[in-house]
Amino acid sequence: TTNATATAPDLSVAIGSLRLRNPFMAASGCFGYGVEYAGLIDLSTLGAVVTKGLFLAEREGHPAPRVVETPAGMINAIGLQGIGAKRFVDEKLPELRERGATVIVNVCGTTIDEYAEVSRIVSDAEGVHGIELNISCPNIKEGGIQFGCSLGGTHDVVSAVRKVTALPLIPKLTPNVTDVASIARAAEEAGADAVSLVNTFLAMAIDVETRRPKLSNIVGGLSGPAIRPIAVRMVYECAQEVKIPIIGVGGIMCAEDAVEYMLAGAAAVQVGFATFRNPSAMIAIIDDLERWCEDRGVKCVSELTGAMVDSRPRDTYEAAACSSIG
């Protein structure tokens, strides 16, 4: 056992000033506030728990139906239902603290002032280790994505929050833009410590018998393995443009999926969809990654970040991709 421990790969990673014991975070919206899974998983064994999105006030979200299964994925239009920042600090954070979880709070807003105020409230609370700025939810009409779809909006909201918190600041980027790398660069210039990407892709599903949308909101966000190859490409693009760490999100089901993101440039990853199929999926994936590294002589998992062998300039591969379609 001593030998095994001595030679075990180092799975720890750094996200700004935050040191995580491994690169796996529970993705926002897929893990409740973390406490709901405390009976199934030792929360302290995860890299981090990213909470459900929090506004200043409580929020009911959209009426049902709000989730629909699709091939290799799911579409959700939950509408950011939540208990609000103050209730989270009073009711959920004490248990997360007690269980030794590394907590990253997903902060939402309909205005820049709301983003700043929610960030201030959670920054003042003991046991919050970082802030993920949700500027990318595709299924609410107000706030969120209206900031994340423009360079100026991204810069303004990140700058405003940067002024009220010293915690690691991680804007979550939308894939529903023409050039996600430029958005990442705007976030970096405004003072972000890292970026997470991607949030869900705008999508819809229709019941062909009733001819009605399957979601009450008509449209929602697509997640799951179906989006992973696109998300990996976007992580790679952003890694060419920014120096801050990138957290890869979208459809990770096994250790190899996480490694793929890391080779493309991610320093860490988030797991969401897999948790719906198996609430303790992350524990299995962490164990698998350790074995994967051992089998290949990888001593530190951070060595994998950006280690893809073919690193042609972005304009070269983009031209090749365009010429190969038809």
Side-chain angles (χ1 to χ4, degrees), residues 73-235:
M74 61 180 270
I75 307 173
N76 92 83
I78 305 299
L80 293 173
Q81 175 186 355
I83 60 175
K86 290 175 182 171
R87 275 190 62 195
F88 168 78
V89 168
D90 293 342
E91 298 174 20
K92 307 295 183 184
L93 191 55
E95 185 177 350
L96 290 170
R97 247 190 341 251
E98 186 183 320
R99 292 181 178 273
T102 297
V103 178
I104 297 174
V105 174
N106 183 281
V107 168
C108 304
T110 57
T111 64
I112 289 178
D113 287 345
E114 183 173 17
Y115 275 107
E117 182 61 11
V118 174
S119 299
R120 187 193 62 74
I121 290 168
V122 298
S123 295
D124 288 346
E126 184 191 348
V128 175
H129 302 88
I131 290 173
E132 181 177 74
L133 272 187
N134 189 343
I135 55 172
S136 51
C137 179
N139 59 56
I140 62 168
K141 292 190 176 86
E142 70 287 348
I145 202 166
Q146 79 182 39
F147 297 107
C149 277
S150 78
L151 298 177
T154 298
H155 191 280
D156 288 350
V157 72
V158 174
S159 297
V161 174
R162 179 76 288 166
K163 288 171 186 165
V164 302
T165 184
L167 291 176
L169 184 55
I170 309 165
K172 187 171 187 178
L173 307 186
T174 176
N176 300 300
V177 291
T178 307
D179 183 6
V180 70
S182 64
I183 302 288
R185 196 166 56 248
E188 179 181 45
E189 288 167 358
D193 296 289
V195 288
S196 59
L197 64 138
V198 298
N199 208 323
T200 54
F201 286 77
L202 197 60
M204 68 183 291
I206 302 168
D207 185 320
V208 297
E209 298 302 329
T210 65
R211 304 188 181 187
R212 295 180 180 278
K214 290 187 176 180
L215 295 168
S216 69
N217 193 57
I218 303 179
V219 299
L222 176 67
S223 60
I227 74 167
R228 188 176 63 247
I230 315 174
V232 169
R233 185 260 299 173
M234 289 183 164
V235 165

Side-chain angles (χ1 to χ4, degrees), residues 13 15 20 22-27 47-48 50 196-197 232 235 246-250 252 254-263 265-272 282 285-286 289:
V13 297
I15 303 295
L20 307 181
N22 60 64
F24 293 97
M25 307 179 182
V50 186
S196 59
L197 64 138
V232 169
V235 165
I246 295 168
I247 301 162
V249 193
I252 292 171
C254 61
E256 287 82 357
D257 295 343
V259 171
E260 192 175 0
Y261 272 104
M262 297 187 80
L263 293 174
V269 295
Q270 293 181 9
V271 176
M282 269 182 293
I285 297 173
I286 291 167
L289 180 64

Side-chain angles (χ1 to χ4, degrees), residues 308-323:
M308 186 178 79
V309 174
D310 182 358
S311 298
R312 284 180 291 169
R314 185 173 158 194
D315 56 355
T316 306
Y317 84 77
E318 282 181 344
C322 289
S323 64

